Amino acid sequence: MRATITSVAHYVPPTVLDNAYFAKYLDTTDEWILTRTGISERRIAKEGATSDLIVPAAKECIEKRGITANDIDCIIVATVTPDHSFPATAALVQHKIGANNAWGFDLSAACSGFLFSFITACKLVESGAAKRLLLCGGDKMSSITDYEDRSQAMLFGDAGAAVLIEPSDDPDCGLIDYIAKIDGSGAPYLKMIAGGSAKPSSLETVQNKEHYLKQDGQTVFKAAVKAMADCSVDIMKRNNLENKDVAWLVPHQANMRIIVATAERMQLPKEQVMININKYGNTTAATIPMCLSEWNAAGKIKKADNVIMSSFGAGYTYGSVLLRWNANK
Ligand code: COA
């Protein structure tokens, strides 16, 4: 038995920050941001926490499937910006949507959070340990972005998304294969320095801006291009797929140039790549399910389409998933 996505939805907050906003107070331009990242605008949550971005998406996802929150038996939340260190954001989402029969947990894999929790969710469903699993990916990146730093201020946005994972009614569709890797030698290049047990919060850590994200952009960029392209090409090879057999690449949306380089290595035309980074920036755990949600709503993903999802994030964490699309009847 295979596990598959049977419903998908997303939510973005209404406030839009366009590139002109940053050009007003930082030494940057709309042109630099657009050509170096592919981003034109991003959404920012003026209030609320990550769970508040996830809950509208979760409710819509459940409603679209024609079930109730009480039918959910497990909730996984992928996030790097949990509402609190503890309790888990999954517990807060469970309570807010009234999923009274669910257990659940958070999964931390930064920008690979959705990919890693998708694999985990499918394995729980394949084993019978869960039957209707609500997998949420959401991040309030504005809560950890340094808006005074021009090398990161314009990169990130806030969003929430949710997919329902259930047994597939077609044995040929659902999760087919995955490659997932973690490599802690990349930890220094993308991290939050303070606030954890290695460096607890103090007046000094706040003054030193150590609760914001820190990254060595170029090092991360190069590692991301190699990892996403290698994993995506490998998963094609070991499943005997040529470019004509792949309907969609769904890449994590961190930088347009990383997306284009990955697609080029797979020899996929841009028309077969889901790209919405221009509207939302990098929303971390929400990027991939948001693409699936938008393309599904537009009727562009067809049953039995081979969909390759690929991501790279802090850790490093990275991988690719082959999903044969089936939204169930
Ligand atoms: N506006 C104008 N100039 C800027 C700028 C901005 N917003 N940000 C940086 N620059 C400048 C730099 O100071 C540098 O100037 P210099 O040549 O005079 O030193 C120049 O632009 C090039 O900087 P660099 O950091 O090499 O740019 P880049 O092409 O690598 O782009 C990122 C920077 C952050 C967009 C890019 O490295 C990136 O996307 N990295 C990966 C990020 C990522 O994926 N993170 C999350 C992982 S999931």
Side-chain angles (χ1 to χ4, degrees):
M1 186 258 286
R2 294 187 192 280
T4 197
I5 292 176
T6 56
S7 184
V8 52
H10 72 281
Y11 171 79
V12 287
T15 303
V16 176
L17 290 192
D18 61 11
N19 291 348
Y21 171 87
F22 297 102
K24 276 186 210 141
Y25 74 96
L26 285 174
D27 182 13
T28 191
T29 60
D30 173 37
E31 204 227 332
W32 192 97
I33 300 171
L34 193 58
T35 52
R36 303 310 290 167
T37 70
I39 304 167
S40 299
E41 56 186 47
R42 66 292 287 146
R43 302 297 183 99
I44 299 299
K46 285 197 153 170
E47 52 195 28
T50 295
S51 66
D52 299 304
L53 297 166
I54 288 173
V55 164
K59 284 184 175 166
E60 191 186 326
C61 182
I62 291 166
E63 199 186 307
K64 275 184 172 166
R65 180 72 177 125
I67 59 171
T68 71
N70 280 333
D71 295 318
I72 304 295
D73 54 13
C74 184
I75 298 173
I76 303 178
V77 170
T79 188
V80 78
T81 52
D83 289 24
H84 308 279
S85 295
F86 62 90
T89 303
L92 306 176
V93 170
Q94 174 275 326
H95 184 60
K96 287 181 183 181
I97 66 172
N100 298 311
N101 299 311
W103 68 294
F105 53 92
D106 288 3
L107 191 148
S108 171
C111 292
S112 297
F114 180 79
L115 202 87
F116 282 19
S117 50
F118 178 76
I119 298 163
T120 307
C122 287
K123 293 294 155 192
L124 283 171
V125 170
E126 281 174 15
S127 72
K131 290 192 171 53
R132 277 189 171 139
L133 190 152
L134 185 71
L135 165 54
C136 311
D139 272 296
K140 186 179 176 186
M141 292 305 291
S142 60
S143 66
I144 59 166
T145 300
D146 181 356
Y147 285 101
E148 301 301 319
D149 176 359
R150 72 170 182 170
S151 71
Q152 62 169 280
M154 70 299 169
L155 294 177
F156 300 97
D158 301 337
V163 299
L164 203 58
I165 310 286
E166 293 182 81
S168 175
D169 62 9
D170 180 339
D172 293 330
C173 293
L175 172 66
I176 306 293
D177 194 11
Y178 66 89
I179 297 170
K181 300 199 175 180
I182 189 160
D183 173 11
S185 70
Y189 307 113
L190 181 48
K191 68 192 298 192
M192 183 186 287
I193 294 168
S197 56
K199 195 163 191 187
S201 311
S202 67
L203 190 55
E204 192 194 347
T205 62
V206 173
Q207 281 166 346
N208 292 341
K209 295 184 154 197
E210 290 174 342
H211 297 273
Y212 292 128
L213 167 162
K214 286 270 184 303
Q215 74 168 334
D216 174 343
Q218 270 195 17
T219 304
V220 174
F221 183 95
K222 284 181 201 148
V225 168
K226 180 166 170 24
M228 284 175 57
D230 284 355
C231 291
S232 301
V233 168
D234 284 354
I235 209 159
M236 283 170 73
K237 272 193 197 146
R238 74 186 201 189
N239 288 278
N240 299 316
L241 297 177
E242 292 177 24
N243 55 351
K244 66 175 171 39
D245 306 315
V246 177
W248 294 106
L249 167 65
V250 196
H252 171 55
Q253 315 275 310
N255 186 310
M256 180 69 107
R257 292 179 292 138
I258 299 175
I259 295 171
V260 169
T262 305
E264 276 173 3
R265 280 275 310 280
M266 297 168 74
Q267 299 185 328
L268 272 194
K270 218 172 159 190
E271 298 70 48
Q272 281 165 251
V273 186
M274 295 189 194
I275 301 173
N276 60 15
I277 188 173
N278 50 315
K279 291 189 290 181
Y280 306 125
N282 182 352
T283 57
T284 303
T287 59
I288 290 178
M290 282 226 289
C291 283
L292 292 175
S293 176
E294 288 198 331
W295 265 253
N296 186 51
K300 290 184 187 163
I301 325 177
K302 304 273 181 290
K303 182 172 159 71
D305 271 358
N306 283 320
V307 175
I308 293 182
M309 305 187 273
S310 186
S311 67
F312 183 89
Y316 297 136
T317 51
Y318 55 98
S320 293
V321 161
L322 172 58
L323 168 72
R324 193 159 298 137
W325 189 260
N326 179 29
N328 279 16
K329 285 283 163 305

